[in-house]
C-alpha cells in the first residue's frame, strides 16, 4: 500500500511463488493470499485488485470469490464462461498463468470465502435475474433444441459424450462443461502431446 507500483513489479517477478505457497503452506495461505494481485472484469486492463478489495465490492449475499483462467485478458473478456456473470454484474478475477488453475483449485478458500471457477456450473448464479436488456434474448424452442442436440451428438460423436440444455448462456451458442477446466485441458494437451491423439470426450451445453 505504501508503494503499490514497486510491489507490482515485485509481484510480476515472484507472484507465482506466492501462489504456490498458498497451496504448499496452507496454514499461511490467508496471509499469502493478501499479497496476491489480479486483473478483474470490473477493472480496466493493467489495473490490479486484491482479495480484500474484491470482497468489499461483492454483491449483497455473495459468498464466493469467482475467477476465470485464460491465456490473456482478451480471451477472458470474451469467454462464454464469463457471460453468466457479466450479465449479472458479478465481478470475476482473471488468472493468466498456466498453473493458476491447479493452484486455485487446491487453494479452495480465502478466509471465509470459497474460490470458485466460473467454468463450473453454478445453479445459485443462474437464479439471479439477468439485466433487463438481456432478458428478452430469443432462444430455440424445445423441439429445435432436441433436433440440434441429436445432430451435434451424431456429427461430433468423436469429441463429445453428451449435450445438455444450458441456463447460463445468453449470446454464446455453446460451451464445454466438463469436470476438467479449459486450462487443465490445455495443460494435458501440452504434456501429452505425441502420446495421445485426442482429449477425452467432453460434455457440451447449448
Amino acid at each position: 500500500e505504501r508503494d503499490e507500483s514497486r510491489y507490482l513489479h515485485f509481484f510480476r517477478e515472484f507472484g507465482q511463488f506466492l501462489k504456490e505457497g498458498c497451496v504448499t503452506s496452507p496454514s499461511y495461505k490467508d496471509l499469502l493470499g493478501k499479497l496476491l494481485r489480479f486483473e478483474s472484469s470490473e477493472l480496466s486492463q493493467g489495473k490490479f485488485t486484491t482479495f480484500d478489495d474484491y470482497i468489499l465490492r461483492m454483491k449483497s449475499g455473495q459468498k464466493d470469490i469467482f475467477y476465470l483462467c485464460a491465456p490473456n485478458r482478451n480471451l477472458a473478456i470474451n469467454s462464454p464462461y464469463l457471460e453468466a456473470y457479466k450479465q449479472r454484474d458479478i465481478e470475476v478475477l482473471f488468472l493468466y498463468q498456466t498453473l493458476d488453475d491447479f493452484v486455485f483449485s487446491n487453494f479452495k478458500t480465502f478466509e471465509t470465502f470459497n474460490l470458485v471457477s466460473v467454468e463450473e456450473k453454478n445453479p445459485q448464479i443462474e437464479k439471479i435475474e439477468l439485466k433487463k436488456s438481456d432478458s428478452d434474448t430469443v432462444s430455440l424452442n424445445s423441439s429445435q433444441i432436441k433436433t440440434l442436440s441429436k445432430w451435434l451428438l451424431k456429427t461430433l460423436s468423436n469429441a463429445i459424450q453428451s449435450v445438455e440444455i444450458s441456463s447460463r448462456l445468453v449470446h454464446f451458442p455453446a460451451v464445454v462443461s466438463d469436470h476438467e477446466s479449459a486450462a487443465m485441458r490445455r495443460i494435458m494437451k501440452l504434456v501429452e502431446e505425441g502420446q495421445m491423439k485426442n482429449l477425452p470426450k467432453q460434455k457440451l451445453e447449448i
Side-chain angles (χ1 to χ4, degrees):
E1 293 181 359
R2 295 177 184 175
D3 193 336
E4 185 67 10
S5 62
R6 288 185 64 187
Y7 179 72
L8 285 175
H9 178 74
F10 166 83
F11 183 76
R12 289 188 181 100
E13 292 291 325
F14 302 104
Q16 190 62 37
F17 296 105
L18 295 175
K19 293 175 185 178
E20 291 174 6
C22 293
V23 177
T24 58
S25 303
S27 58
Y28 295 101
K29 71 174 185 176
D30 285 343
L31 288 174
L32 291 171
K34 291 180 179 292
L35 300 176
L36 303 184
R37 298 293 185 271
F38 315 93
E39 285 199 3
S40 155
S41 60
E42 291 298 305
L43 303 178
S44 57
Q45 185 170 2
K47 300 292 184 181
F48 292 83
T49 189
T50 63
F51 279 139
D52 288 331
D53 288 341
Y54 177 99
I55 291 167
L56 290 175
R57 294 191 294 269
M58 274 184 170
K59 287 188 171 293
S60 177
Q62 184 177 334
K63 299 179 181 179
D64 300 322
I65 296 172
F66 298 106
Y67 68 89
L68 171 62
C69 295
N72 55 59
R73 183 180 181 88
N74 185 55
L75 290 176
I77 287 290
N78 294 289
S79 170
Y81 296 109
L82 182 65
E83 184 175 43
Y85 297 80
K86 187 188 298 183
Q87 303 305 326
R88 294 166 174 84
D89 288 325
I90 297 173
E91 185 174 7
V92 175
L93 301 177
F94 294 154
L95 309 176
Y96 305 133
Q97 293 181 307
T98 305
L99 291 179
D100 281 342
D101 185 71
F102 171 78
V103 170
F104 270 66
S105 62
N106 287 278
F107 194 167
K108 295 187 184 299
T109 62
F110 174 74
E111 296 182 346
T112 60
F113 299 92
N114 296 317
L115 302 180
V116 178
S117 170
V118 299
E119 293 187 42
E120 299 177 15
K121 293 188 69 173
N122 192 327
Q124 297 305 313
I125 291 298
E126 292 166 20
K127 289 178 182 178
I128 299 175
E129 191 172 338
L130 291 170
K131 290 188 293 189
K132 189 173 182 181
S133 60
D134 293 304
S135 59
D136 298 326
T137 304
V138 177
S139 301
L140 299 177
N141 60 43
S142 58
S143 176
Q144 291 171 322
I145 290 173
K146 188 175 181 179
T147 300
L148 177 60
S149 297
K150 288 182 177 180
W151 180 84
L152 286 169
L153 280 170
K154 181 179 180 180
T155 306
L156 303 175
S157 59
N158 62 334
I160 62 174
Q161 60 174 300
S162 64
V163 177
E164 300 177 359
I165 309 306
S166 176
S167 56
R168 57 174 164 168
L169 295 173
V170 180
H171 300 297
F172 286 90
V175 68
V176 172
S177 59
D178 211 347
H179 64 285
E180 291 164 346
S181 67
M184 191 57 67
R185 291 194 296 273
R186 286 193 296 272
I187 292 174
M188 286 174 59
K189 195 168 185 179
L190 288 172
V191 171
E192 299 177 357
E193 187 174 0
Q195 300 180 35
M196 63 183 291
K197 295 182 179 179
N198 298 302
L199 291 172
K201 289 185 178 183
Q202 307 294 312
K203 297 176 183 177
L204 189 68
E205 285 184 45
I206 61 173

